[in-house]
Amino acid sequence: KLILDQYIMNGGKTLWMIDAVNAEMDTLMRSKKIMAYPTDMNMNDFFFNYGIRINPALVKDVKKFALLRLVTGEVSGNAQYMSLPWPYFPLGINENGNPLTKNINPVKFQFPTSIDTLGRPGIKTNVLYESSEKTLLKQVPNYVDLKEISAVDSLGQNEKPSTPKIFAVSL
């Protein structure tokens, strides 16, 4: 952490892609249900010093999402596929016209977590990608089940959509 901090403090540039929740697609396809759990990289204090916090919770967007291709049957020995809505593959939207993401189509995220900007003095954060306004956080550890595909247009009893969640920032 000290080496990274000194590198950045002396003008070095870094790009971070953090996977804060473990959710395996291959296991989900085999088992139809997985346990998503947080992964601790021991970097929370480092990121906090630069004005961001990574939330160890899955983002579930029920408005803007990508499709999940599933085998739905078999005809004459050939697998039949269907593309179905999957809220855990939200599309990142660039609403602020940042030069880094200008003229780029929405980006598909797979099992993303959200980022909070903390408004630290002297640190300017720019949102690059965020979810739609019909988004909720699913705290982990928790189950992710393929049965959630059928209920993608409706929220559960305890699920209330909130403000857009941030997927990517530049400092």
Side-chain angles (χ1 to χ4, degrees):
K1 290 182 197 177
L2 177 64
I3 293 169
L4 289 169
D5 187 52
Q6 289 304 303
Y7 175 74
I8 293 169
M9 295 300 285
N10 288 310
K13 303 293 182 198
T14 61
L15 174 67
W16 296 82
M17 291 180 240
I18 307 298
D19 194 4
V21 172
N22 186 337
E24 302 289 337
M25 277 305 295
D26 58 341
T27 306
L28 180 64
M29 291 305 181
R30 242 182 302 113
S31 306
K32 310 294 185 226
K33 184 178 188 179
I34 59 169
M35 172 64 78
Y37 58 90
T39 56
D40 184 17
M41 298 166 298
N42 195 25
M43 294 293 286
N44 292 340
D45 57 338
F46 179 82
F47 294 130
F48 184 82
N49 290 335
Y50 287 97
I52 61 171
R53 177 179 39 238
I54 299 172
N55 298 313
L58 290 173
V59 174
K60 184 178 178 183
D61 193 331
V62 295
K63 183 177 179 183
K64 300 246 185 211
F65 46 78
L67 300 175
L68 180 64
R69 196 150 171 87
L70 293 173
V71 176
T72 56
E74 191 175 310
V75 175
S76 302
N78 296 324
Q80 299 297 304
Y81 293 91
M82 185 178 285
S83 295
L84 300 166
W86 186 236
Y88 296 104
F89 286 0
L91 296 176
I93 305 162
N94 172 22
E95 296 282 336
N96 356 353
N98 188 291
L100 292 173
T101 54
K102 187 177 178 183
N103 297 326
I104 296 179
N105 289 334
V107 174
K108 173 185 163 187
F109 289 85
Q110 293 186 9
F111 297 112
T113 56
S114 67
I115 300 171
D116 290 335
T117 56
L118 305 174
R120 306 264 313 192
I123 298 175
K124 184 180 178 208
T125 57
N126 298 308
V127 174
L128 299 177
Y129 287 106
E130 61 187 354
S131 68
S132 77
E133 70 282 352
K134 246 187 144 178
T135 303
L136 56 100
L137 293 178
K138 186 171 191 170
Q139 298 301 317
V140 292
N142 209 332
Y143 286 105
V144 174
D145 196 326
L146 284 179
K147 291 178 184 174
E148 294 179 61
I149 288 174
S150 61
V152 77
D153 290 334
S154 62
L155 297 172
Q157 292 175 321
N158 299 328
E159 299 178 325
K160 295 188 179 16
S162 63
T163 60
K165 302 299 178 204
I166 299 170
F167 295 137
V169 296
S170 68
L171 303 174

